[in-house]
Amino acid sequence: LAAVLARFLERHLGCIERRFGEIDLVTLLPSNPQTRDGWDHLRHLYDRVTGWPGNWDPDLLVKRDAAGASATRGIVTPRFEVVQPLGLKGRRVLLIDDTWTSGGTMLSAAKSVADVTGVPAVAVTLGRQVYTKAQENYLVDDINDMVAPYQAEICAIHPNPRRHGRG
């Protein structure tokens, strides 16, 4: 997964910046410190790759909400805290998370960052988990019908994906 993310950012960080503005800082959404014995799997992946594209601070956020994701769907503030907010005013932050289920975790982190920076955050996730309540099962069929094989050269940022590189 780290290699997929690194390749995506290498090829498409420029696409993200053309769409949302210059990215000043990239950070990870930390895992809940009370799960997996405190092991942060996304940080573990980050540590395995050198030469990440962009300006990184993987420890910008600390997760303060101890409840698990399934118990806290939706925006919860303050679920995250920006560790060193000085100097972040006006800076655009790219948030990286491993999985998007309901969007609540990412939205909570984006709100915490935007409250400090005054600029909307941009988000990228490695995967999409379909949250299937009984009345939402049609989503699974719709998404399964739309899923195409992963191809690093196809840009997911543009409304009409096309082949291109960074820049």
Side-chain angles (χ1 to χ4, degrees), residues 117-145:
T117 65
V119 177
V122 179
V124 168
T125 58
L126 292 171
R128 169 70 166 105
Q129 176 181 342
V130 180
Y131 179 58
T132 57
K133 293 181 183 176
Q135 67 270 25
E136 296 176 352
N137 282 338
Y138 68 90
L139 288 174
V140 175
D141 294 332
D142 289 349
I143 288 174
N144 286 335
D145 290 343

PDB file of all heavy atoms in Angstrom, residues 117-145:
ATOM      1  N   THR A 117      -5.596  26.437  10.052  1.00  0.00           N
ATOM      2  CA  THR A 117      -4.978  27.043   8.871  1.00  0.00           C
ATOM      3  C   THR A 117      -5.820  28.137   8.239  1.00  0.00           C
ATOM      4  O   THR A 117      -5.301  29.021   7.566  1.00  0.00           O
ATOM      5  CB  THR A 117      -4.696  25.983   7.782  1.00  0.00           C
ATOM      6  OG1 THR A 117      -5.942  25.458   7.308  1.00  0.00           O
ATOM      7  CG2 THR A 117      -3.799  24.879   8.309  1.00  0.00           C
ATOM      8  N   GLY A 118      -7.134  28.050   8.408  1.00  0.00           N
ATOM      9  CA  GLY A 118      -8.030  28.976   7.727  1.00  0.00           C
ATOM     10  C   GLY A 118      -8.224  28.617   6.267  1.00  0.00           C
ATOM     11  O   GLY A 118      -8.835  29.358   5.508  1.00  0.00           O
ATOM     12  N   VAL A 119      -7.703  27.460   5.850  1.00  0.00           N
ATOM     13  CA  VAL A 119      -7.764  27.004   4.464  1.00  0.00           C
ATOM     14  C   VAL A 119      -8.354  25.595   4.464  1.00  0.00           C
ATOM     15  O   VAL A 119      -7.963  24.767   5.292  1.00  0.00           O
ATOM     16  CB  VAL A 119      -6.344  26.970   3.837  1.00  0.00           C
ATOM     17  CG1 VAL A 119      -6.377  26.419   2.430  1.00  0.00           C
ATOM     18  CG2 VAL A 119      -5.711  28.350   3.876  1.00  0.00           C
ATOM     19  N   PRO A 120      -9.285  25.293   3.562  1.00  0.00           N
ATOM     20  CA  PRO A 120      -9.809  23.915   3.511  1.00  0.00           C
ATOM     21  C   PRO A 120      -8.698  22.908   3.246  1.00  0.00           C
ATOM     22  O   PRO A 120      -7.807  23.150   2.438  1.00  0.00           O
ATOM     23  CB  PRO A 120     -10.788  23.950   2.334  1.00  0.00           C
ATOM     24  CG  PRO A 120     -11.141  25.384   2.156  1.00  0.00           C
ATOM     25  CD  PRO A 120      -9.919  26.167   2.574  1.00  0.00           C
ATOM     26  N   ALA A 121      -8.758  21.797   3.937  1.00  0.00           N
ATOM     27  CA  ALA A 121      -7.801  20.706   3.723  1.00  0.00           C
ATOM     28  C   ALA A 121      -8.223  19.908   2.495  1.00  0.00           C
ATOM     29  O   ALA A 121      -9.376  19.960   2.061  1.00  0.00           O
ATOM     30  CB  ALA A 121      -7.750  19.805   4.949  1.00  0.00           C
ATOM     31  N   VAL A 122      -7.286  19.167   1.944  1.00  0.00           N
ATOM     32  CA  VAL A 122      -7.533  18.267   0.824  1.00  0.00           C
ATOM     33  C   VAL A 122      -7.282  16.860   1.341  1.00  0.00           C
ATOM     34  O   VAL A 122      -6.406  16.650   2.178  1.00  0.00           O
ATOM     35  CB  VAL A 122      -6.585  18.593  -0.358  1.00  0.00           C
ATOM     36  CG1 VAL A 122      -6.814  17.644  -1.522  1.00  0.00           C
ATOM     37  CG2 VAL A 122      -6.761  20.042  -0.793  1.00  0.00           C
ATOM     38  N   ALA A 123      -8.056  15.879   0.856  1.00  0.00           N
ATOM     39  CA  ALA A 123      -7.961  14.528   1.399  1.00  0.00           C
ATOM     40  C   ALA A 123      -7.751  13.487   0.316  1.00  0.00           C
ATOM     41  O   ALA A 123      -8.308  13.593  -0.775  1.00  0.00           O
ATOM     42  CB  ALA A 123      -9.238  14.200   2.164  1.00  0.00           C
ATOM     43  N   VAL A 124      -6.945  12.475   0.640  1.00  0.00           N
ATOM     44  CA  VAL A 124      -6.736  11.304  -0.208  1.00  0.00           C
ATOM     45  C   VAL A 124      -6.827  10.078   0.688  1.00  0.00           C
ATOM     46  O   VAL A 124      -6.254  10.053   1.781  1.00  0.00           O
ATOM     47  CB  VAL A 124      -5.355  11.345  -0.902  1.00  0.00           C
ATOM     48  CG1 VAL A 124      -5.019  10.005  -1.541  1.00  0.00           C
ATOM     49  CG2 VAL A 124      -5.301  12.455  -1.937  1.00  0.00           C
ATOM     50  N   THR A 125      -7.560   9.070   0.233  1.00  0.00           N
ATOM     51  CA  THR A 125      -7.587   7.797   0.950  1.00  0.00           C
ATOM     52  C   THR A 125      -7.110   6.698   0.013  1.00  0.00           C
ATOM     53  O   THR A 125      -7.261   6.792  -1.204  1.00  0.00           O
ATOM     54  CB  THR A 125      -9.002   7.436   1.456  1.00  0.00           C
ATOM     55  OG1 THR A 125      -9.901   7.379   0.350  1.00  0.00           O
ATOM     56  CG2 THR A 125      -9.490   8.422   2.476  1.00  0.00           C
ATOM     57  N   LEU A 126      -6.538   5.665   0.618  1.00  0.00           N
ATOM     58  CA  LEU A 126      -6.040   4.534  -0.159  1.00  0.00           C
ATOM     59  C   LEU A 126      -7.159   3.609  -0.610  1.00  0.00           C
ATOM     60  O   LEU A 126      -7.060   2.956  -1.628  1.00  0.00           O
ATOM     61  CB  LEU A 126      -5.040   3.722   0.667  1.00  0.00           C
ATOM     62  CG  LEU A 126      -3.735   4.422   0.975  1.00  0.00           C
ATOM     63  CD1 LEU A 126      -2.924   3.620   1.972  1.00  0.00           C
ATOM     64  CD2 LEU A 126      -2.954   4.654  -0.299  1.00  0.00           C
ATOM     65  N   GLY A 127      -8.223   3.534   0.154  1.00  0.00           N
ATOM     66  CA  GLY A 127      -9.293   2.608  -0.185  1.00  0.00           C
ATOM     67  C   GLY A 127     -10.640   3.121   0.249  1.00  0.00           C
ATOM     68  O   GLY A 127     -10.748   4.044   1.048  1.00  0.00           O
ATOM     69  N   ARG A 128     -11.675   2.513  -0.281  1.00  0.00           N
ATOM     70  CA  ARG A 128     -13.050   2.884   0.041  1.00  0.00           C
ATOM     71  C   ARG A 128     -13.759   1.642   0.534  1.00  0.00           C
ATOM     72  O   ARG A 128     -13.872   0.648  -0.182  1.00  0.00           O
ATOM     73  CB  ARG A 128     -13.753   3.434  -1.207  1.00  0.00           C
ATOM     74  CG  ARG A 128     -15.249   3.617  -1.078  1.00  0.00           C
ATOM     75  CD  ARG A 128     -15.558   4.772  -0.138  1.00  0.00           C
ATOM     76  NE  ARG A 128     -16.941   5.194  -0.219  1.00  0.00           N
ATOM     77  CZ  ARG A 128     -17.860   4.912   0.715  1.00  0.00           C
ATOM     78  NH1 ARG A 128     -17.543   4.187   1.766  1.00  0.00           N
ATOM     79  NH2 ARG A 128     -19.080   5.355   0.590  1.00  0.00           N
ATOM     80  N   GLN A 129     -14.203   1.684   1.786  1.00  0.00           N
ATOM     81  CA  GLN A 129     -14.994   0.589   2.343  1.00  0.00           C
ATOM     82  C   GLN A 129     -16.441   1.015   2.264  1.00  0.00           C
ATOM     83  O   GLN A 129     -16.796   2.120   2.686  1.00  0.00           O
ATOM     84  CB  GLN A 129     -14.607   0.340   3.793  1.00  0.00           C
ATOM     85  CG  GLN A 129     -15.446  -0.707   4.461  1.00  0.00           C
ATOM     86  CD  GLN A 129     -15.039  -0.899   5.912  1.00  0.00           C
ATOM     87  OE1 GLN A 129     -13.962  -0.506   6.328  1.00  0.00           O
ATOM     88  NE2 GLN A 129     -15.897  -1.489   6.687  1.00  0.00           N
ATOM     89  N   VAL A 130     -17.269   0.179   1.700  1.00  0.00           N
ATOM     90  CA  VAL A 130     -18.684   0.526   1.584  1.00  0.00           C
ATOM     91  C   VAL A 130     -19.361   0.185   2.899  1.00  0.00           C
ATOM     92  O   VAL A 130     -19.364  -0.962   3.339  1.00  0.00           O
ATOM     93  CB  VAL A 130     -19.346  -0.228   0.419  1.00  0.00           C
ATOM     94  CG1 VAL A 130     -20.811   0.162   0.317  1.00  0.00           C
ATOM     95  CG2 VAL A 130     -18.618   0.083  -0.873  1.00  0.00           C
ATOM     96  N   TYR A 131     -19.905   1.212   3.545  1.00  0.00           N
ATOM     97  CA  TYR A 131     -20.631   1.037   4.796  1.00  0.00           C
ATOM     98  C   TYR A 131     -22.041   0.612   4.434  1.00  0.00           C
ATOM     99  O   TYR A 131     -22.812   1.388   3.876  1.00  0.00           O
ATOM    100  CB  TYR A 131     -20.621   2.355   5.570  1.00  0.00           C
ATOM    101  CG  TYR A 131     -21.363   2.304   6.881  1.00  0.00           C
ATOM    102  CD1 TYR A 131     -21.009   1.405   7.872  1.00  0.00           C
ATOM    103  CD2 TYR A 131     -22.413   3.174   7.130  1.00  0.00           C
ATOM    104  CE1 TYR A 131     -21.677   1.371   9.078  1.00  0.00           C
ATOM    105  CE2 TYR A 131     -23.082   3.155   8.329  1.00  0.00           C
ATOM    106  CZ  TYR A 131     -22.717   2.250   9.294  1.00  0.00           C
ATOM    107  OH  TYR A 131     -23.381   2.215  10.489  1.00  0.00           O
ATOM    108  N   THR A 132     -22.388  -0.627   4.696  1.00  0.00           N
ATOM    109  CA  THR A 132     -23.640  -1.166   4.181  1.00  0.00           C
ATOM    110  C   THR A 132     -24.653  -1.413   5.282  1.00  0.00           C
ATOM    111  O   THR A 132     -24.672  -2.463   5.909  1.00  0.00           O
ATOM    112  CB  THR A 132     -23.397  -2.476   3.426  1.00  0.00           C
ATOM    113  OG1 THR A 132     -22.746  -3.383   4.316  1.00  0.00           O
ATOM    114  CG2 THR A 132     -22.529  -2.260   2.201  1.00  0.00           C
ATOM    115  N   LYS A 133     -25.496  -0.465   5.499  1.00  0.00           N
ATOM    116  CA  LYS A 133     -26.695  -0.699   6.291  1.00  0.00           C
ATOM    117  C   LYS A 133     -27.669  -1.414   5.355  1.00  0.00           C
ATOM    118  O   LYS A 133     -27.530  -1.346   4.131  1.00  0.00           O
ATOM    119  CB  LYS A 133     -27.296   0.626   6.754  1.00  0.00           C
ATOM    120  CG  LYS A 133     -26.445   1.382   7.734  1.00  0.00           C
ATOM    121  CD  LYS A 133     -27.158   2.663   8.123  1.00  0.00           C
ATOM    122  CE  LYS A 133     -26.298   3.479   9.054  1.00  0.00           C
ATOM    123  NZ  LYS A 133     -26.905   4.761   9.383  1.00  0.00           N
ATOM    124  N   ALA A 134     -28.667  -2.051   5.887  1.00  0.00           N
ATOM    125  CA  ALA A 134     -29.593  -2.815   5.055  1.00  0.00           C
ATOM    126  C   ALA A 134     -30.171  -1.966   3.917  1.00  0.00           C
ATOM    127  O   ALA A 134     -30.261  -2.415   2.779  1.00  0.00           O
ATOM    128  CB  ALA A 134     -30.714  -3.378   5.919  1.00  0.00           C
ATOM    129  N   GLN A 135     -30.545  -0.723   4.197  1.00  0.00           N
ATOM    130  CA  GLN A 135     -31.141   0.113   3.159  1.00  0.00           C
ATOM    131  C   GLN A 135     -30.112   0.662   2.177  1.00  0.00           C
ATOM    132  O   GLN A 135     -30.462   1.257   1.182  1.00  0.00           O
ATOM    133  CB  GLN A 135     -31.941   1.265   3.774  1.00  0.00           C
ATOM    134  CG  GLN A 135     -31.109   2.293   4.503  1.00  0.00           C
ATOM    135  CD  GLN A 135     -30.921   1.986   5.979  1.00  0.00           C
ATOM    136  OE1 GLN A 135     -30.992   0.843   6.394  1.00  0.00           O
ATOM    137  NE2 GLN A 135     -30.684   3.008   6.773  1.00  0.00           N
ATOM    138  N   GLU A 136     -28.823   0.443   2.430  1.00  0.00           N
ATOM    139  CA  GLU A 136     -27.785   0.975   1.543  1.00  0.00           C
ATOM    140  C   GLU A 136     -27.077  -0.121   0.757  1.00  0.00           C
ATOM    141  O   GLU A 136     -26.055   0.128   0.138  1.00  0.00           O
ATOM    142  CB  GLU A 136     -26.763   1.770   2.359  1.00  0.00           C
ATOM    143  CG  GLU A 136     -27.351   2.999   3.007  1.00  0.00           C
ATOM    144  CD  GLU A 136     -26.352   3.718   3.902  1.00  0.00           C
ATOM    145  OE1 GLU A 136     -25.263   3.182   4.143  1.00  0.00           O
ATOM    146  OE2 GLU A 136     -26.687   4.804   4.367  1.00  0.00           O
ATOM    147  N   ASN A 137     -27.594  -1.334   0.740  1.00  0.00           N
ATOM    148  CA  ASN A 137     -26.920  -2.424   0.037  1.00  0.00           C
ATOM    149  C   ASN A 137     -26.791  -2.179  -1.453  1.00  0.00           C
ATOM    150  O   ASN A 137     -25.903  -2.717  -2.100  1.00  0.00           O
ATOM    151  CB  ASN A 137     -27.625  -3.752   0.288  1.00  0.00           C
ATOM    152  CG  ASN A 137     -27.276  -4.322   1.649  1.00  0.00           C
ATOM    153  OD1 ASN A 137     -26.252  -3.975   2.222  1.00  0.00           O
ATOM    154  ND2 ASN A 137     -28.126  -5.183   2.162  1.00  0.00           N
ATOM    155  N   TYR A 138     -27.668  -1.355  -2.014  1.00  0.00           N
ATOM    156  CA  TYR A 138     -27.561  -1.055  -3.439  1.00  0.00           C
ATOM    157  C   TYR A 138     -26.222  -0.403  -3.767  1.00  0.00           C
ATOM    158  O   TYR A 138     -25.730  -0.519  -4.883  1.00  0.00           O
ATOM    159  CB  TYR A 138     -28.707  -0.150  -3.898  1.00  0.00           C
ATOM    160  CG  TYR A 138     -28.646   1.240  -3.326  1.00  0.00           C
ATOM    161  CD1 TYR A 138     -27.957   2.252  -3.998  1.00  0.00           C
ATOM    162  CD2 TYR A 138     -29.250   1.544  -2.112  1.00  0.00           C
ATOM    163  CE1 TYR A 138     -27.874   3.530  -3.470  1.00  0.00           C
ATOM    164  CE2 TYR A 138     -29.162   2.816  -1.583  1.00  0.00           C
ATOM    165  CZ  TYR A 138     -28.481   3.805  -2.264  1.00  0.00           C
ATOM    166  OH  TYR A 138     -28.395   5.068  -1.743  1.00  0.00           O
ATOM    167  N   LEU A 139     -25.610   0.274  -2.792  1.00  0.00           N
ATOM    168  CA  LEU A 139     -24.308   0.900  -3.021  1.00  0.00           C
ATOM    169  C   LEU A 139     -23.247  -0.128  -3.377  1.00  0.00           C
ATOM    170  O   LEU A 139     -22.393   0.112  -4.221  1.00  0.00           O
ATOM    171  CB  LEU A 139     -23.857   1.679  -1.794  1.00  0.00           C
ATOM    172  CG  LEU A 139     -24.587   2.974  -1.488  1.00  0.00           C
ATOM    173  CD1 LEU A 139     -24.106   3.536  -0.159  1.00  0.00           C
ATOM    174  CD2 LEU A 139     -24.382   3.980  -2.594  1.00  0.00           C
ATOM    175  N   VAL A 140     -23.279  -1.272  -2.715  1.00  0.00           N
ATOM    176  CA  VAL A 140     -22.287  -2.314  -2.967  1.00  0.00           C
ATOM    177  C   VAL A 140     -22.371  -2.748  -4.424  1.00  0.00           C
ATOM    178  O   VAL A 140     -21.362  -2.829  -5.124  1.00  0.00           O
ATOM    179  CB  VAL A 140     -22.486  -3.515  -2.027  1.00  0.00           C
ATOM    180  CG1 VAL A 140     -21.524  -4.639  -2.382  1.00  0.00           C
ATOM    181  CG2 VAL A 140     -22.312  -3.076  -0.587  1.00  0.00           C
ATOM    182  N   ASP A 141     -23.577  -3.024  -4.911  1.00  0.00           N
ATOM    183  CA  ASP A 141     -23.743  -3.447  -6.303  1.00  0.00           C
ATOM    184  C   ASP A 141     -23.308  -2.351  -7.262  1.00  0.00           C
ATOM    185  O   ASP A 141     -22.613  -2.611  -8.250  1.00  0.00           O
ATOM    186  CB  ASP A 141     -25.196  -3.836  -6.582  1.00  0.00           C
ATOM    187  CG  ASP A 141     -25.611  -5.074  -5.802  1.00  0.00           C
ATOM    188  OD1 ASP A 141     -24.729  -5.908  -5.504  1.00  0.00           O
ATOM    189  OD2 ASP A 141     -26.805  -5.191  -5.485  1.00  0.00           O
ATOM    190  N   ASP A 142     -23.689  -1.111  -6.985  1.00  0.00           N
ATOM    191  CA  ASP A 142     -23.318   0.008  -7.861  1.00  0.00           C
ATOM    192  C   ASP A 142     -21.807   0.184  -7.925  1.00  0.00           C
ATOM    193  O   ASP A 142     -21.239   0.357  -9.002  1.00  0.00           O
ATOM    194  CB  ASP A 142     -23.960   1.315  -7.393  1.00  0.00           C
ATOM    195  CG  ASP A 142     -25.459   1.348  -7.641  1.00  0.00           C
ATOM    196  OD1 ASP A 142     -25.961   0.462  -8.361  1.00  0.00           O
ATOM    197  OD2 ASP A 142     -26.117   2.258  -7.108  1.00  0.00           O
ATOM    198  N   ILE A 143     -21.147   0.135  -6.777  1.00  0.00           N
ATOM    199  CA  ILE A 143     -19.699   0.332  -6.744  1.00  0.00           C
ATOM    200  C   ILE A 143     -18.993  -0.842  -7.410  1.00  0.00           C
ATOM    201  O   ILE A 143     -18.064  -0.655  -8.194  1.00  0.00           O
ATOM    202  CB  ILE A 143     -19.208   0.564  -5.308  1.00  0.00           C
ATOM    203  CG1 ILE A 143     -19.665   1.953  -4.864  1.00  0.00           C
ATOM    204  CG2 ILE A 143     -17.703   0.408  -5.210  1.00  0.00           C
ATOM    205  CD1 ILE A 143     -19.391   2.266  -3.429  1.00  0.00           C
ATOM    206  N   ASN A 144     -19.441  -2.061  -7.142  1.00  0.00           N
ATOM    207  CA  ASN A 144     -18.816  -3.223  -7.778  1.00  0.00           C
ATOM    208  C   ASN A 144     -18.941  -3.155  -9.296  1.00  0.00           C
ATOM    209  O   ASN A 144     -18.045  -3.575 -10.015  1.00  0.00           O
ATOM    210  CB  ASN A 144     -19.406  -4.522  -7.253  1.00  0.00           C
ATOM    211  CG  ASN A 144     -18.920  -4.831  -5.854  1.00  0.00           C
ATOM    212  OD1 ASN A 144     -17.859  -4.378  -5.444  1.00  0.00           O
ATOM    213  ND2 ASN A 144     -19.702  -5.593  -5.111  1.00  0.00           N
ATOM    214  N   ASP A 145     -20.052  -2.618  -9.799  1.00  0.00           N
ATOM    215  CA  ASP A 145     -20.226  -2.477 -11.246  1.00  0.00           C
ATOM    216  C   ASP A 145     -19.306  -1.408 -11.826  1.00  0.00           C
ATOM    217  O   ASP A 145     -18.952  -1.454 -12.998  1.00  0.00           O
ATOM    218  CB  ASP A 145     -21.680  -2.118 -11.586  1.00  0.00           C
ATOM    219  CG  ASP A 145     -22.630  -3.285 -11.328  1.00  0.00           C
ATOM    220  OD1 ASP A 145     -22.155  -4.439 -11.212  1.00  0.00           O
ATOM    221  OD2 ASP A 145     -23.842  -3.027 -11.228  1.00  0.00           O
TER     222      ASP A 145
END
